Amino acid sequence: MRVISGEARGRPLKAVPGQTTRPTTDKVKEALFSMIGPYFDGERVLDLFAGTGGLGIEALSRGAGKAVFVDANMRSIEVVRANLAATRLSDKAEIYRQDAVKAIRLLEQRGCEPFDLVFLDPPYVMKNGDELLLELTARGLAGEDTVTVIEHESGFEYGERIGIFERRRLALYGETAISIYKYGGEA
């Protein structure tokens, strides 16, 4: 695993020890960023279920202004910190060791502005990416300008709509699927 493009291009990323995380492969990451826009200009990013932090770090490397990394696993948080330090992007990051739903509530309480880009990459056994997106929307953390990427197993499919969001793209890569949602108006 490595950073593919931008200011930290080519820097290797550590993996979380053990079998508890499933890092997004470089091939899938490269395809994903070509779909959502190869470069950014100061966007706010949420990397929920951050794992190694690879998706949020890639967005920062490509020009996003700030990223919030959330994971409940202490080992993942340690790896995210190490990867941010190795890529020299720590100053653009906030890191929370927290359950996803609790983190969403905490971000709302702290007056966090809506995110421009949200990565939802829960463990494949969890099929609640849609519920998390609805929670983000209800708490004012996702809205009209938000692009949401849900990574899930290819044998499972989220709906065409999740609240105010419409699926604009579904791409399959072996066992991995990427669903991209953008604002589509009232549900």
Side-chain angles (χ1 to χ4, degrees):
M1 285 188 327
R2 62 188 170 84
V3 179
I4 297 168
S5 190
E7 70 178 84
R9 180 182 184 186
R11 297 239 168 95
L13 298 174
K14 287 183 169 187
V16 178
Q19 301 292 324
T20 58
T21 63
R22 171 199 27 78
T24 303
T25 65
D26 287 353
K27 176 185 173 186
V28 172
K29 192 169 25 171
E30 195 164 358
L32 165 61
F33 279 91
S34 72
M35 287 185 267
I36 63 173
Y39 295 100
F40 302 103
D41 186 21
E43 287 82 355
R44 295 178 36 77
V45 177
L46 174 62
D47 191 347
L48 206 54
F49 303 96
T52 65
L55 294 174
I57 289 170
E58 188 71 36
L60 288 173
S61 180
R62 292 170 182 248
K66 181 178 181 174
V68 174
F69 298 85
V70 176
D71 205 291
N73 182 317
M74 189 57 184
R75 279 195 244 164
S76 291
I77 293 300
E78 291 167 358
V79 168
V80 169
R81 286 187 207 287
N83 285 337
L84 284 163
T87 56
R88 298 186 187 112
L89 295 169
S90 298
D91 60 327
K92 297 180 180 182
E94 287 180 31
I95 303 167
Y96 297 92
R97 180 176 177 239
Q98 193 70 262
D99 165 85
V101 174
K102 288 179 184 173
I104 291 168
R105 291 180 187 144
L106 176 69
L107 291 169
E108 178 195 28
Q109 288 171 359
R110 291 193 173 174
C112 189
E113 295 178 28
F115 291 97
D116 301 300
L117 179 59
V118 174
F119 295 111
L120 295 175
D121 187 9
Y124 283 173
V125 298
M126 295 174 72
K127 311 281 192 239
N128 66 339
D130 50 355
E131 295 168 17
L132 292 168
L133 180 52
L134 290 172
E135 185 75 10
L136 285 162
T137 305
R139 299 202 177 266
L141 300 173
E144 289 186 29
D145 297 325
T146 304
V147 173
T148 302
V149 176
I150 303 177
E151 187 172 329
H152 53 96
E153 70 179 325
S154 57
F156 179 80
E157 190 171 327
Y158 286 100
E160 291 287 327
R161 287 188 70 91
I162 299 175
I164 61 169
F165 292 92
E166 286 181 0
R167 186 173 60 207
R168 301 290 172 93
R169 188 93 186 251
L170 171 63
L172 305 175
Y173 303 93
E175 294 179 5
T176 301
I178 301 287
S179 292
I180 300 173
Y181 289 88
K182 294 183 181 177
Y183 179 77
E186 294 303 315

